[in-house]
Amino acid sequence: MFKTFCVVNIVLFVVFRLQVCIEQIALDTIAHLCDGDARTALNGLQLAVQACVLQLRTSSSKADGAPQQIIVREKHIKEGLQRSHILYDKAGEEHYNCISALHKSMRGSEENAALYWLGRMLEGGLADPVALTQAVSVFQACHFIGMPECEVILAQCVVYMARAPKSVEVYKAYNNVKSCLRNHQGPLPPVPLHLRNAPTKLMKNLGYAKGYKYNPNFNGPVNQEYLPEELRGVNFFSWTPSSS
């Protein structure tokens, strides 16, 4: 990564007359957050440098030809990683924590929290590859049946969707979730302990799944929190993102 950064630095100096420096704490942050994932580290570093270059070029009027210095700080690294990876660990424990939180939110009929955890996974680069298979299967069904038999199937689908009530509620709510995630400063909030699965004794000892109320065991609605503590009370269906 150091060699690659040196090459990028040379290119920026030769082409744009920019000298890029990076704080040691910023390098330490990359190493800690990326945990050996060089691709994520380089992507985050690239976005951090690009943001700093853009900020300098839009705010500086210096035109004397002297090299300009850019200092990449820890906050730039975190912002770069948020945009390239949203600090979402697809291979580690947090991946399974988010899945668990999504399942439990849907089980608890909490659409607001369910949208948030879905956004955490999708915005972090995790998409379900089976979704495309499902969509293709619908196409194949009509393809196998053939015309004119599938005309009725297609017509029924079109009429149903045309008659169905129209709403942009989900569209707006999910856009609010994305805005919340992309504008978040610093590491994203952890999944609440009671929403995590506890497949090992160690996890149980750490408090994973402790206090979770399994909805099918109750006759009515369950009073239970499904969002991280700092987002409690936020309703993405009515929430307005900050203009700042």
Side-chain angles (χ1 to χ4, degrees):
M1 186 178 76
F2 178 75
K3 292 181 179 179
T4 304
F5 179 71
C6 290
V7 172
V8 173
N9 202 353
I10 292 172
V11 171
L12 287 171
F13 181 80
V14 173
V15 178
F16 300 106
R17 302 292 291 172
L18 297 175
Q19 182 181 12
V20 180
C21 302
I22 182 169
E23 292 182 331
Q24 182 61 47
I25 188 173
L27 287 174
D28 294 340
T29 299
I30 293 179
H32 173 69
L33 293 177
C34 296
D35 194 25
D37 189 334
R39 178 179 298 180
T40 299
L42 288 173
N43 287 341
L45 178 59
Q46 178 184 0
L47 289 174
V49 173
Q50 288 176 346
C52 290
V53 172
L54 179 61
Q55 183 179 9
L56 178 65
R57 294 174 69 86
T58 55
S59 63
S60 176
S61 58
K62 190 174 182 180
D64 57 6
Q68 294 177 286
Q69 187 179 71
I70 290 177
I71 300 179
V72 180
R73 305 185 187 279
E74 183 183 26
K75 66 176 184 178
H76 302 136
I77 293 299
K78 289 183 176 180
E79 290 171 359
L81 287 173
Q82 285 172 22
R83 280 157 179 75
S84 67
H85 214 247
I86 308 207
L87 299 179
Y88 180 77
D89 181 12
K90 293 185 287 185
E93 179 191 323
E94 194 67 3
H95 161 62
Y96 299 100
N97 290 339
C98 285
I99 290 178
S100 177
L102 174 62
H103 288 174
K104 289 178 172 64
S105 297
M106 290 191 294
R107 184 185 296 148
S109 301
E110 285 288 335
E111 68 273 16
N112 185 57
L115 273 180
Y116 173 78
W117 296 117
L118 174 66
R120 279 280 290 265
M121 291 189 290
L122 294 181
E123 289 299 298
L126 177 65
D128 184 359
V130 179
L132 179 60
T133 304
Q134 296 295 327
V136 172
S137 296
V138 174
F139 163 77
Q140 289 178 333
C142 291
H143 177 72
F144 290 146
I145 294 175
M147 297 289 285
E149 286 79 5
C150 75
E151 287 180 344
V152 177
I153 299 174
L154 293 172
Q156 180 179 352
C157 178
V158 168
V159 170
Y160 179 87
M161 290 189 291
R163 290 179 176 177
K166 308 302 186 295
S167 173
V168 294
E169 182 184 37
V170 174
Y171 172 78
K172 289 182 178 179
Y174 189 65
N175 278 341
N176 287 339
V177 169
K178 291 194 292 184
S179 178
C180 174
L181 292 170
R182 293 176 180 180
N183 294 328
H184 184 83
Q185 299 296 319
L188 291 168
V191 177
L193 289 176
H194 69 281
L195 296 182
R196 305 184 188 189
N197 286 329
T200 68
K201 183 178 180 180
L202 174 61
M203 290 179 175
K204 291 179 181 178
N205 292 337
L206 291 174
Y208 285 30
K210 183 178 181 180
Y212 171 67
K213 300 174 184 177
Y214 184 62
N215 298 84
N217 289 341
F218 298 82
N219 295 326
V222 175
N223 184 16
Q224 185 163 235
E225 294 290 347
Y226 293 93
L227 284 172
E229 185 174 358
E230 68 181 71
L231 290 176
R232 288 177 185 176
V234 173
N235 186 337
F236 292 106
F237 289 88
S238 59
W239 180 70
T240 302
S242 173
S243 57
S244 59

